[in-house]
């Protein structure tokens, strides 16, 4: 069953995402980010977040300014016992249609090179690399960098 997880289901989300803290999920919802999940009975077995406009990239600790026609998909996790059963693809297909109806024609994601399973999944979906996200230190601190819109 494909569902959207909102703040009212925080406990259910945290039972699945034991690596997350409540504040992280609450900040994401406050920024307008959305969490879509696959549930098996009462348990969440897969979920991922999505954002439009400006997205926060946790592992780079920076903002990503998105073109108007882009949805950023991130932090996808599948329970070990449910991997390789198509849950990521089901959720990705749904989210692509949902945001497509809102005018987004492209989906971006940032994947660490150390995650070959995610890279293979994205290749199967037809994804292609468009660039690398990096942070540059300047004398005034860190600056944000966005990818080209084409």
């Amino acid at each position: 069953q494909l569902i959207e997880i909102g703040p009212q289901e925080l406990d259910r989300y945290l039972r699945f995402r034991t690596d997350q803290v409540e504040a992280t999920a609450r900040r994401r919802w406050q920024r307008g980010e959305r969490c879509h999940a696959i549930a098996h009975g009462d348990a969440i077995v897969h979920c991922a977040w999505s954002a439009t406009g400006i997205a926060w990239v946790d592992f780079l600790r920076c903002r990503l300014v998105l073109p108007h026609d882009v949805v950023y998909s991130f932090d996808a996790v599948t329970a070990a016992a449910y991997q390789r059963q198509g849950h990521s693809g089901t959720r990705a297909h749904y989210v692509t249609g949902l945001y497509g109806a809102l005018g987004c024609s492209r989906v971006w994601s940032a994947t660490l090179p150390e995650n070959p399973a995610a890279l293979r999944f994205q290749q199967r979906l037809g994804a292609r690399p468009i660039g690398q996200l990096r942070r540059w230190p300047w004398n005034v601190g860190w600056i944000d960098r966005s990818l080209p819109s084409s």
Side-chain angles (χ1 to χ4, degrees):
Q1 173 186 12
L2 201 140
I3 57 173
E4 182 164 350
I5 299 290
Q8 70 283 0
E9 295 185 280
L10 179 63
D11 290 339
R12 185 179 187 191
Y13 173 77
L14 293 175
R15 279 193 303 276
F16 173 64
R17 290 299 308 270
T18 58
D19 61 319
Q20 294 262 318
V21 294
E22 179 178 332
T24 299
R26 289 197 184 282
R27 269 193 306 275
R28 289 175 176 179
W29 284 312
Q30 287 170 350
R31 288 192 298 254
E33 297 167 359
R34 298 170 75 175
C35 181
H36 295 92
I38 303 287
H40 188 303
D42 287 340
I44 295 170
V45 299
H46 168 83
C47 74
W49 289 83
S50 55
T52 57
I54 297 175
W56 179 256
V57 183
D58 287 328
F59 62 90
L60 294 176
R61 293 179 300 161
C62 70
R63 291 179 318 135
L64 178 61
V65 180
L66 303 167
H68 72 280
D69 64 338
V70 169
V71 59
Y72 176 62
S73 180
F74 64 101
D75 200 14
V77 177
T78 304
Y82 293 88
Q83 292 177 355
R84 304 182 80 73
Q85 296 180 26
H87 297 307
S88 289
T90 299
R91 190 248 334 133
H93 181 75
Y94 172 79
V95 169
T96 299
L98 175 72
Y99 283 98
L102 299 174
C104 292
S105 57
R106 298 179 290 162
V107 178
W108 284 3
S109 65
T111 304
L112 293 172
E114 303 85 47
N115 191 347
L119 294 171
R120 283 190 304 272
F121 169 72
Q122 291 166 354
Q123 283 181 327
R124 283 194 308 273
L125 290 178
R128 62 181 175 76
I130 60 169
Q132 292 181 334
L133 292 176
R134 295 186 179 149
R135 292 178 51 192
W136 290 271
W138 296 93
N139 291 337
V140 295
W142 292 95
I143 62 167
D144 297 330
R145 187 78 174 170
S146 63
L147 291 171
S149 60
S150 60

